Amino acid sequence: DIQMTQSPSSLSASVGDRVTITCRTSQTIDTYLNWYQHKPGRTPNLLIYRASSLQSGVPSRFTGSGSGTDFTLTISSLQPEDFATYYCQQSYTAPNTFGQGTKVDIK
Amino acid sequence: EVQLVQSEAEVRKPGECLKISCQVSGYSFTNYWIGWVRQMPGKGLEWMGIIYPGDSDTRYSPSFQGLVSISADKSINTTYLGLNNLKASDIGIYYCARHSIGGSIASPFDYWGQGTLVTVSS
């Protein structure tokens, strides 16, 4: 299996902050990396696919970058509705493993 | 409109079996891989396995191989997750989700079911 390592596991931030979450994979996956947002009581929501493509309907403050084994999700200006847990996932090969998640909460 | 509708919450005793359903609508059921994802209480998302309803090709995570079974019924656009010999460690929310590109596993999950809460208690 491809191992996914997200960091940090949690962070506290304020509205308006720039937030960066990283994801590292145990082997190269080209750009087959996806990012999801998950709020309690809701279903996960796809934000970014193929490392940097913004899913339809997702605000442009979310950007993704990276290739190979190192990837980044950036929220340019954190909004109140962005407090959630974020997961990376590789879709290079099955099992399409998830990272352990990064919880973003209010400072 | 694409929809994945899962069966309701279940309560079972240890050792019992359970089958959760995920009925889809709004797209061609047989042409897209569907996956199952678990979230244990307070934990992250775990990829369990996937099925291609067109031919029932199935892949499992090694962590779940032999512990769960995934199947599909093309006549009613439904996929199932079977859980055997339930334990307290099976407690969690189980989601079904559709891969976004027809016929391709190399794509994200774009539509998700609402989740099914499974409780195991004697």
Side-chain angles (χ1 to χ4, degrees), chain A residues 1 32 34 36 38 42-46 48-50 55 87 89 91-100, chain B residues 37 39 43-47 50 59-63 95 99-100 105-110 112-115:
Chain A
D1 298 5
Y32 290 93
N34 314 305
Y36 300 87
H38 194 198
R42 306 283 296 274
T43 62
N45 183 43
L46 175 65
I48 302 286
Y49 61 97
R50 290 300 299 270
Q55 175 69 352
Y87 295 91
Q89 181 210 24
S91 49
Y92 182 76
T93 186
N96 296 155
T97 37
F98 288 93
Q100 79 276 19
Chain B
V37 175
Q39 184 176 37
K43 302 297 184 182
L45 303 176
E46 299 175 271
W47 190 96
I50 51 174
R59 318 280 172 86
Y60 294 97
S61 165
S63 299
Y95 296 98
H99 275 277
S100 66
I105 299 172
S107 61
F109 291 133
D110 59 350
W112 293 68
Q114 82 274 21

Side-chain angles (χ1 to χ4, degrees), chain B residues 2-98:
Chain B
V2 173
Q3 288 191 307
L4 285 72
V5 179
Q6 296 183 226
S7 47
E8 296 297 315
E10 300 273 7
V11 180
R12 290 286 188 276
K13 292 181 167 55
E16 294 185 341
C17 301
L18 173 63
K19 187 176 276 191
I20 301 168
S21 67
C22 171
Q23 185 171 42
V24 315
S25 60
Y27 74 96
S28 177
F29 175 62
T30 55
N31 291 348
Y32 289 76
W33 288 85
I34 292 180
W36 287 92
V37 175
R38 181 176 78 175
Q39 184 176 37
M40 297 171 67
K43 302 297 184 182
L45 303 176
E46 299 175 271
W47 190 96
M48 302 176 71
I50 51 174
I51 188 166
Y52 188 70
D55 60 7
S56 290
D57 186 7
T58 310
R59 318 280 172 86
Y60 294 97
S61 165
S63 299
F64 292 93
Q65 181 86 45
L67 302 177
V68 303
S69 61
I70 298 172
S71 59
D73 185 338
K74 291 186 285 188
S75 68
I76 54 172
N77 287 0
T78 300
T79 182
Y80 300 95
L81 175 68
L83 306 174
N84 304 317
N85 189 23
L86 286 163
K87 310 175 188 58
S89 58
D90 292 312
I91 292 172
I93 299 173
Y94 293 79
Y95 296 98
C96 60
R98 187 192 81 159

Side-chain angles (χ1 to χ4, degrees), chain A residues 33 35 48 51-52 63-67 70-74:
Chain A
L33 193 285
W35 291 98
I48 302 286
S52 61
T63 58
S65 63
S67 67
D70 292 287
F71 302 87
T72 300
L73 173 70
T74 299

Side-chain angles (χ1 to χ4, degrees), chain A:
Chain A
D1 298 5
I2 296 176
Q3 306 305 312
M4 314 289 288
T5 304
Q6 270 184 251
S7 62
S9 55
S10 65
L11 66 89
S12 296
S14 301
V15 172
D17 283 354
R18 181 182 181 88
V19 169
T20 299
I21 300 168
T22 64
C23 181
R24 175 165 289 176
T25 59
S26 61
Q27 64 185 73
T28 185
I29 61 167
D30 192 358
T31 58
Y32 290 93
L33 193 285
N34 314 305
W35 291 98
Y36 300 87
Q37 177 192 68
H38 194 198
K39 298 179 181 179
R42 306 283 296 274
T43 62
N45 183 43
L46 175 65
L47 300 174
I48 302 286
Y49 61 97
R50 290 300 299 270
S52 61
S53 295
L54 191 68
Q55 175 69 352
S56 176
V58 174
S60 59
R61 63 180 178 273
F62 292 93
T63 58
S65 63
S67 67
T69 61
D70 292 287
F71 302 87
T72 300
L73 173 70
T74 299
I75 309 172
S76 60
S77 178
L78 198 66
Q79 298 301 300
E81 60 268 30
D82 300 337
F83 292 97
T85 301
Y86 294 84
Y87 295 91
C88 59
Q89 181 210 24
Q90 62 83 13
S91 49
Y92 182 76
T93 186
N96 296 155
T97 37
F98 288 93
Q100 79 276 19
T102 296
K103 185 176 182 179
V104 177
D105 61 22
I106 301 172
K107 183 184 286 185

